[in-house]
Structures are given as C-alpha cells and as structure tokens.
Amino acid sequence: MKNKKLRALLYLTILLLIVFILLNMFSTYLSIKNSVQKSVANQNLVAARSIADSMDMEAYQRFLNNQVKSQDYSDIKAYLEDAREKIGALYVYTIMIDNPTVSKCMITGFSKDHKGDFPIGGACTVPPEQVKQGYEGKSFITGILEDPEYGEYLTVGVPMKNQDGDIIGFLGIDVSAEDINAINGKVLKSSIAILVYNGGFVIMLLVTFFVIQKWYQKELTREVGDTEDTYQSEFQSLFASVRSLRHDFSNHIQVIHGLLKLEENAKALEYLTGLSKEVHSIESMKLDVIHPGLSVLLETKRLSAQNYNIDIEIDVSPKSFNWIKTIDLIKLLSNVIDNAIEATIQLPEQERRMNIACKADDEKYTFMVTNTGPMISELDLENIFASGFSTKKAQKGKVRGQGLFIVKDLVNRYDGEIHVQSSEKETTVTMIIPVSGKMG
C-alpha cells in the first residue's frame, strides 16, 4: 500500500511538473516575443533621435513656412532616404502633429526603387493613442500596424526641436514586421530548444531525486545521532536547486533583451549558443563518484553555486573515501563550501569563482576549497575556528560561528589538520585527514 502511494505521488508530481514546464514554455514564448518587439522599438527610438539631432532644422523650418517641393524639401528628403538605407528601416519621415487625434506626413524617405511619392501633409497611420503622446511632446512607439498599402510595420517617433528648443515636428521610423519576426524567430528557436532541454533535465533530476531518496531511507537505519538532520538539509538544498531552475529563464531573457537593445544581435546569438552548450554540459547529474554521499553533496553544491552564477570546478579522485564516515565527510565539506559560496557572492558575477578538490592516496585524504571573495584579516584568521566567531554580518534568528568550529572538531577527531590561507584575490581552506589515523 505504501509503495502504491509513493508511485502515485511520483506520477502526480511528474505530471504536474510537465504541465508547469509547458505553461512556462508558453509564457516564455510570449515574453520573448514582447521583449524582441520592445528591443527593436527602443533601438529605432535611439536611431530616430540621432537622425533628428543631425537634421538641418533651419532648412526644415523654411520648408514648414512654405510647404512645397523646394530645394529644402529635396535636401531633407535625400537626407531621410540616406538615413533609411543606413539603418535598414522601411520608411523614415517627418510628421506634423498639430492636434491630439490626427498626424500628417510631411517629408518621406523611401527606398530608391519605390515608385511615386507620399503627398506633403498626407494623413499618417499613427494611431490616436500615439498621436496624443506626440501632441503632448512625448516620444511614442506603436504596436504592429496593418496597412493594406504599405504592409505590416511598427512605428516610432521622437520630437524634432529647433535651436530654441521648440518642437517643430516629429521624426518617424517604420520598421517592417518581417524584420521583427525574423529576429523573434531566431531567439524563439534557440530559447525553445533550451526550454526543452531544461525541462527534460528537471524531470531527470526529479526522478534521480526519488531514486536517491529511496537509497537514503535505507542508509538512515544505519546512522544515529544527527545523521538525519544533515542528510535532510542537503536533500532539501538539492530539491530547492531543482525548483530554482524554472526561474533562470527570466534572467537569460533580460540579457538577450539588453543585447538586442544595444543592437548586438550577433552577441545575442552567441549568448544563446553558449547557454545551449551549458544546458548540454549539465544535462545529467554525474553520479560517477564512487562515494554516494559525496556525489550527492557535490552535485547539490554545484547546482547551488550555479544558481548564484559562480564559476565552479570540482576535481575528485577515483577513491571511495570510506575511511571517513559519510555523515562526517558531509559535515566537513558542506560547512566549508557553504562559507565559500557566501563569501563569493559578495563579488560581482564576473569575479565569482570556486574550486573544490577531493584528493586521496594511500596515506591521506586532502580536501581543498578555494574561492574568490573578501580577504580574511590576520586577526580573524586567529579566531576563525572559535565557537561563535564569524566574519559574516549577524542576522536575526540565524546562528553564526558554528560551521568552522564543527569542522575543526571533526578534523581533530580524525587526527587531521586544517589550514586557512587568505589573500586579496582568494581564500583557501585545506583539510588533511590521515588514512592511518583513528576513525571518528
């Protein structure tokens, strides 16, 4: 009966997870589509301001005073056509907004192969909502507009000011919906692939979690004292890391949004390529470490470090480390690694690095945890193993200063040594446990 309930719970959990992944993929699709459109619009707003700032406003003012196809009209039209060709827009044109409901096109820059011309003062397709924004002196962005004659496009507009700072019109840019959809398609293609990979990864982690949990329940019967608390803490950390994966995509989309906003389309694609490789690199939990408890611990901490964007490297000898009790091994490493993570996240993301090495030979076990972070002063190093002493800021309801005290006590029980070295660049904690020493 108990096994049936566990299987039912497992199936229900997987089903809910799949539903969530599908919903997450759909919401991400909508978010990407909206982000790409906003990025393109903002990019063209910047271009419009640059074009407006470089325009001969005196010539444009003369044209406004005499709205005919004069030399000033021809010069400005040529300038707009050249600007349109350089930025790859559909149209670049000037707009007159002298009332809150209707706008007029004054001078339009078409492509060289465009037949005909837009009449001076012809009605513009800018929607009333954006016309009102322009009438109030604000820049504006429309959604995708459908025009039976000129196709589908998005319009942006910025104020054009004379030397006195008065608004004498608006500089408008139309961006083809095809160009927007092309960018959107590339981003969606890469992101959906990542979503699929990540969804499979999450499901695999969940299944692995239940397998490990079953093994763990058997191990509990052979452990006493505080074994249960320690293992439960690490498994909860693992499960929390699995759950946190679903939140990562909003961060990735923000980066992509920023790159596209800066017109760094190539870098955006490069970022997506790198992200896809990263997903492949963590596609499964590599439980190939001989020692099961150490394997779970290191994978948990690796996921935790990656959630904080820490560049982490783990090097483990192909040994079982059986001379140390599993509970003691986990206590030793988890306390030191947690301290390292807390110190590392105080730095900017590009400076966050950690290295965990677990080496074993016939005479000793060597555990070394190195991390970037604030330097520990010589005075603090002298007291760092004292009970209750901590270099971290006090937090209400959280006990500080016990982690390294516990580690030091365990190392002593195994007749081992522990050393802490700290510089401005990094801090290293080294624990050496002799294999020939007494067991804890």
Side-chain angles (χ1 to χ4, degrees), residues 353-400:
R353 292 184 298 278
M354 281 185 59
N355 184 284
I356 302 172
C358 303
K359 298 297 183 178
D361 55 36
D362 294 337
E363 298 180 357
K364 64 183 181 301
Y365 299 152
T366 302
F367 306 100
M368 184 178 297
V369 178
T370 302
N371 65 274
T372 55
M375 179 179 178
I376 303 174
S377 68
E378 291 184 5
L379 179 60
D380 288 343
L381 285 175
E382 294 177 1
N383 300 287
I384 201 166
F385 297 112
S387 177
F389 180 83
S390 176
T391 60
K392 308 181 187 72
K393 294 181 179 180
Q395 293 183 12
K396 185 177 181 180
K398 189 170 184 178
V399 178
R400 292 289 194 185

Coordinates of all heavy atoms in Angstrom, one line a residue, residues 353-400:
R353 N 34.3 32.8 -8.5 CA 35.0 31.5 -8.9 C 35.2 30.6 -7.6 O 35.5 31.2 -6.6 CB 36.3 31.8 -9.6 CG 36.2 32.4 -11.0 CD 37.5 32.5 -11.6 NE 38.4 33.4 -10.9 CZ 38.4 34.7 -10.9 NH1 37.6 35.3 -11.7 NH2 39.3 35.4 -10.2
M354 N 35.0 29.3 -7.8 CA 35.3 28.4 -6.8 C 35.9 27.1 -7.3 O 35.7 26.8 -8.5 CB 34.0 28.0 -6.1 CG 33.4 28.9 -5.1 SD 31.9 28.2 -4.3 CE 32.6 26.8 -3.6
N355 N 36.7 26.5 -6.5 CA 37.4 25.2 -6.9 C 37.3 24.3 -5.7 O 37.7 24.7 -4.6 CB 38.8 25.5 -7.3 CG 39.5 24.2 -7.8 OD1 39.8 23.3 -7.0 ND2 39.6 24.0 -9.1
I356 N 36.8 23.1 -5.9 CA 36.7 22.1 -4.9 C 37.5 20.9 -5.3 O 37.3 20.3 -6.4 CB 35.2 21.7 -4.6 CG1 34.4 22.9 -4.2 CG2 35.1 20.6 -3.5 CD1 32.9 22.6 -4.2
A357 N 38.5 20.5 -4.5 CA 39.3 19.3 -4.8 C 39.2 18.3 -3.7 O 39.4 18.7 -2.5 CB 40.7 19.8 -5.0
C358 N 39.0 17.1 -4.0 CA 39.0 16.0 -3.1 C 39.9 14.9 -3.5 O 39.6 14.2 -4.5 CB 37.5 15.4 -2.9 SG 36.3 16.6 -2.5
K359 N 41.1 14.9 -2.9 CA 42.2 14.0 -3.4 C 42.4 12.9 -2.3 O 42.3 13.1 -1.1 CB 43.5 14.8 -3.6 CG 43.4 15.9 -4.7 CD 43.1 15.3 -6.0 CE 43.0 16.3 -7.1 NZ 42.8 15.7 -8.4
A360 N 42.8 11.7 -2.8 CA 43.0 10.6 -1.9 C 44.2 9.8 -2.4 O 44.3 9.5 -3.6 CB 41.8 9.7 -1.8
D361 N 45.0 9.4 -1.5 CA 46.1 8.4 -1.8 C 46.2 7.4 -0.6 O 45.3 7.4 0.2 CB 47.4 9.1 -2.1 CG 47.9 10.0 -0.9 OD1 47.6 9.7 0.3 OD2 48.5 11.1 -1.2
D362 N 47.2 6.6 -0.6 CA 47.3 5.5 0.4 C 47.5 6.1 1.8 O 47.3 5.4 2.8 CB 48.4 4.6 0.0 CG 48.1 3.8 -1.3 OD1 46.9 3.7 -1.6 OD2 49.0 3.4 -1.9
E363 N 48.0 7.3 1.9 CA 48.3 7.8 3.2 C 47.4 8.9 3.8 O 47.2 9.0 5.0 CB 49.7 8.5 3.2 CG 50.8 7.5 2.8 CD 52.2 8.2 2.7 OE1 52.2 9.4 2.9 OE2 53.2 7.5 2.5
K364 N 46.7 9.6 2.9 CA 45.9 10.7 3.4 C 44.8 11.1 2.4 O 44.8 10.8 1.2 CB 46.7 11.9 3.7 CG 47.4 12.6 2.5 CD 48.3 13.7 2.8 CE 48.9 14.4 1.6 NZ 49.7 13.4 0.8
Y365 N 43.8 11.8 3.0 CA 42.7 12.5 2.2 C 43.0 14.0 2.3 O 43.2 14.5 3.3 CB 41.3 12.2 2.7 CG 40.9 10.7 2.7 CD1 40.0 10.2 3.6 CD2 41.4 9.8 1.7 CE1 39.6 8.9 3.6 CE2 41.0 8.5 1.7 CZ 40.1 8.0 2.6 OH 39.7 6.8 2.6
T366 N 43.0 14.6 1.1 CA 43.1 16.1 1.1 C 41.9 16.7 0.5 O 41.6 16.5 -0.7 CB 44.4 16.5 0.3 OG1 45.5 15.9 0.9 CG2 44.6 18.0 0.4
F367 N 41.3 17.6 1.3 CA 40.1 18.3 0.8 C 40.5 19.8 0.7 O 40.8 20.4 1.8 CB 38.9 18.1 1.7 CG 38.6 16.7 1.9 CD1 39.0 16.0 3.1 CD2 37.9 16.0 0.9 CE1 38.7 14.7 3.2 CE2 37.6 14.6 1.1 CZ 38.0 14.0 2.3
M368 N 40.3 20.4 -0.4 CA 40.7 21.8 -0.6 C 39.6 22.6 -1.3 O 39.1 22.2 -2.3 CB 42.0 21.9 -1.4 CG 42.5 23.4 -1.6 SD 44.1 23.4 -2.6 CE 45.2 22.4 -1.5
V369 N 39.1 23.7 -0.6 CA 38.1 24.6 -1.2 C 38.7 26.0 -1.3 O 39.1 26.6 -0.3 CB 36.9 24.6 -0.2 CG1 35.8 25.5 -0.8 CG2 36.3 23.2 0.0
T370 N 38.7 26.4 -2.6 CA 39.2 27.8 -2.9 C 38.1 28.6 -3.5 O 37.4 28.1 -4.3 CB 40.4 27.6 -3.9 OG1 41.4 26.8 -3.3 CG2 41.0 29.0 -4.2
N371 N 38.1 29.9 -3.1 CA 37.0 30.8 -3.6 C 37.6 32.2 -3.6 O 38.4 32.6 -2.8 CB 35.8 30.7 -2.7 CG 36.0 31.3 -1.3 OD1 36.5 30.5 -0.5 ND2 35.7 32.5 -1.1
T372 N 37.0 33.0 -4.6 CA 37.3 34.4 -4.6 C 36.4 35.0 -3.6 O 35.3 34.5 -3.3 CB 37.0 35.0 -6.0 OG1 35.7 34.6 -6.4 CG2 38.0 34.4 -7.0
G373 N 36.8 36.2 -3.1 CA 35.9 36.8 -2.1 C 36.8 37.8 -1.2 O 38.0 37.9 -1.4
P374 N 36.1 38.4 -0.3 CA 36.8 39.4 0.6 C 38.0 38.7 1.4 O 37.9 37.5 1.8 CB 35.8 39.9 1.6 CG 34.5 39.6 0.9 CD 34.7 38.4 0.1
M375 N 39.0 39.4 1.5 CA 40.2 38.9 2.3 C 39.9 38.8 3.8 O 39.2 39.7 4.3 CB 41.4 39.8 2.1 CG 42.7 39.3 2.8 SD 44.1 40.4 2.5 CE 45.3 39.7 3.5
I376 N 40.3 37.7 4.4 CA 40.1 37.5 5.8 C 41.4 38.0 6.5 O 42.5 37.6 6.2 CB 39.9 36.0 6.2 CG1 38.7 35.4 5.4 CG2 39.7 35.8 7.7 CD1 38.5 33.9 5.6
S377 N 41.2 38.9 7.5 CA 42.3 39.6 8.1 C 43.1 38.5 9.0 O 42.5 37.5 9.4 CB 41.8 40.7 9.0 OG 41.1 40.2 10.1
E378 N 44.3 38.9 9.3 CA 45.1 38.0 10.2 C 44.5 37.8 11.6 O 44.6 36.7 12.1 CB 46.6 38.6 10.3 CG 47.4 38.6 9.0 CD 48.8 39.0 9.2 OE1 49.2 39.3 10.4 OE2 49.5 39.1 8.2
L379 N 43.9 38.9 12.1 CA 43.3 38.8 13.4 C 42.1 37.8 13.3 O 41.9 37.0 14.2 CB 42.8 40.2 13.8 CG 42.1 40.2 15.2 CD1 43.0 39.7 16.3 CD2 41.6 41.6 15.5
D380 N 41.3 37.9 12.3 CA 40.2 37.0 12.1 C 40.6 35.5 11.9 O 40.0 34.6 12.4 CB 39.3 37.4 11.0 CG 38.5 38.7 11.3 OD1 38.4 39.0 12.5 OD2 38.0 39.3 10.3
L381 N 41.7 35.4 11.2 CA 42.3 34.0 11.0 C 42.6 33.3 12.3 O 42.5 32.1 12.4 CB 43.5 34.1 10.0 CG 43.2 34.3 8.5 CD1 44.5 34.5 7.8 CD2 42.4 33.2 7.9
E382 N 43.1 34.1 13.3 CA 43.5 33.6 14.5 C 42.3 33.1 15.3 O 42.4 32.2 16.2 CB 44.2 34.6 15.4 CG 45.6 35.0 14.8 CD 46.3 36.1 15.5 OE1 45.7 36.5 16.6 OE2 47.4 36.5 15.1
N383 N 41.1 33.6 15.1 CA 39.9 33.3 15.9 C 38.8 32.5 15.1 O 37.8 32.3 15.6 CB 39.3 34.6 16.4 CG 40.2 35.3 17.3 OD1 40.5 34.9 18.4 ND2 40.7 36.4 16.8
I384 N 39.2 32.2 13.8 CA 38.1 31.7 12.9 C 37.5 30.4 13.3 O 36.4 30.1 13.0 CB 38.7 31.7 11.5 CG1 37.6 31.7 10.5 CG2 39.6 30.5 11.3 CD1 38.0 32.0 9.0
F385 N 38.3 29.6 14.1 CA 37.8 28.3 14.5 C 37.1 28.3 15.9 O 36.6 27.3 16.3 CB 38.9 27.2 14.5 CG 39.5 27.0 13.1 CD1 40.8 27.4 12.9 CD2 38.8 26.4 12.1 CE1 41.4 27.2 11.6 CE2 39.3 26.2 10.9 CZ 40.6 26.6 10.6
A386 N 37.0 29.5 16.5 CA 36.4 29.6 17.8 C 34.9 29.5 17.7 O 34.3 30.0 16.7 CB 36.8 30.9 18.5
S387 N 34.3 28.8 18.7 CA 32.8 28.7 18.7 C 32.2 30.1 18.8 O 32.5 30.9 19.7 CB 32.4 27.8 19.8 OG 31.0 27.7 19.8
G388 N 31.2 30.4 17.9 CA 30.5 31.6 17.9 C 31.2 32.8 17.2 O 30.6 33.8 17.0
F389 N 32.4 32.6 16.7 CA 33.1 33.6 16.0 C 32.8 33.5 14.5 O 32.8 32.4 13.9 CB 34.6 33.5 16.1 CG 35.4 34.6 15.4 CD1 35.5 35.9 15.9 CD2 35.9 34.4 14.1 CE1 36.2 36.8 15.2 CE2 36.5 35.3 13.4 CZ 36.7 36.6 14.0
S390 N 32.4 34.7 13.9 CA 32.1 34.7 12.5 C 32.5 36.0 11.9 O 32.5 37.1 12.5 CB 30.6 34.5 12.3 OG 30.3 34.6 10.9
T391 N 33.0 36.0 10.6 CA 33.3 37.2 9.9 C 32.1 37.7 9.1 O 32.2 38.8 8.5 CB 34.4 36.9 8.8 OG1 34.0 35.9 7.9 CG2 35.7 36.4 9.5
K392 N 31.0 37.0 9.2 CA 29.8 37.5 8.5 C 29.0 38.4 9.4 O 29.1 38.4 10.6 CB 28.9 36.3 8.0 CG 29.7 35.2 7.2 CD 28.8 34.1 6.8 CE 29.6 33.0 6.2 NZ 30.3 32.2 7.2
K393 N 28.1 39.2 8.7 CA 27.2 40.1 9.5 C 26.1 39.2 10.2 O 25.7 38.2 9.7 CB 26.5 41.1 8.5 CG 27.5 42.0 7.9 CD 26.7 43.0 7.0 CE 27.7 44.0 6.3 NZ 27.0 45.0 5.5
A394 N 25.8 39.7 11.4 CA 24.8 39.0 12.2 C 23.4 39.1 11.5 O 23.1 40.1 11.0 CB 24.8 39.5 13.6
Q395 N 22.7 38.0 11.6 CA 21.3 38.0 11.0 C 20.3 37.5 12.1 O 20.6 36.5 12.8 CB 21.2 37.1 9.8 CG 22.0 37.7 8.6 CD 21.8 36.8 7.4 OE1 20.9 35.9 7.3 NE2 22.6 37.0 6.3
K396 N 19.2 38.2 12.2 CA 18.3 37.9 13.2 C 17.7 36.4 13.0 O 17.3 36.1 11.9 CB 17.1 38.9 13.2 CG 16.1 38.6 14.3 CD 15.0 39.7 14.3 CE 14.0 39.5 15.4 NZ 12.9 40.5 15.4
G397 N 17.8 35.6 14.1 CA 17.3 34.3 14.0 C 18.2 33.3 13.4 O 17.9 32.1 13.2
K398 N 19.4 33.7 13.0 CA 20.4 32.8 12.4 C 21.6 32.7 13.3 O 22.3 33.7 13.6 CB 20.8 33.3 11.0 CG 21.6 32.3 10.2 CD 21.7 32.7 8.8 CE 22.4 31.6 7.9 NZ 22.5 32.0 6.5
V399 N 22.0 31.4 13.6 CA 23.2 31.2 14.5 C 24.4 31.3 13.6 O 24.5 30.6 12.5 CB 23.1 29.8 15.2 CG1 24.4 29.6 16.0 CG2 21.9 29.8 16.0
R400 N 25.4 32.1 14.0 CA 26.6 32.2 13.2 C 27.8 31.7 14.1 O 27.7 31.5 15.3 CB 26.9 33.7 13.0 CG 25.9 34.4 12.0 CD 26.2 33.9 10.6 NE 25.5 34.7 9.6 CZ 25.5 34.4 8.3 NH1 26.1 33.4 7.9 NH2 24.8 35.2 7.5

